Amino acid sequence: MGNDRLVCKACGNDSFAQGELGGSMANVKPVKLDMVHFSSSPLILTICTNCGEVASMKVKQPQKFK
């Protein structure tokens, strides 16, 4: 791919930071109803440092959904 540098769609800024959204109510859980053991994972957010727009969300531990 060409240019992988992020640019904020809301304000045009190109400076970002990452934060983690977690805790018992904020973690992502599988939708499967037959799971006896519920595993979950926090989300990693990429946030524009100028306006706060969330540019991306990524599950921290995707292996828990296999």
Side-chain angles (χ1 to χ4, degrees):
M1 289 196 161
N3 188 357
D4 289 344
R5 188 158 177 91
L6 283 175
V7 176
C8 180
K9 293 178 181 179
C11 73
N13 184 44
D14 65 355
S15 180
F16 292 84
Q18 288 192 327
E20 182 173 307
L21 180 62
S24 63
M25 297 302 288
N27 282 340
V28 178
K29 298 177 186 173
V31 178
K32 298 177 183 177
L33 297 175
D34 61 344
M35 290 189 68
V36 175
H37 175 62
F38 293 107
S39 62
S40 63
S41 177
L43 289 172
I44 302 298
L45 306 178
T46 303
I47 305 158
C48 174
T49 58
N50 184 55
C51 73
E53 178 80 7
V54 175
S56 73
M57 292 190 295
K58 182 176 182 177
V59 175
K60 185 175 185 177
Q61 299 165 318
Q63 68 276 9
K64 290 189 172 189
F65 295 84
K66 291 183 179 181

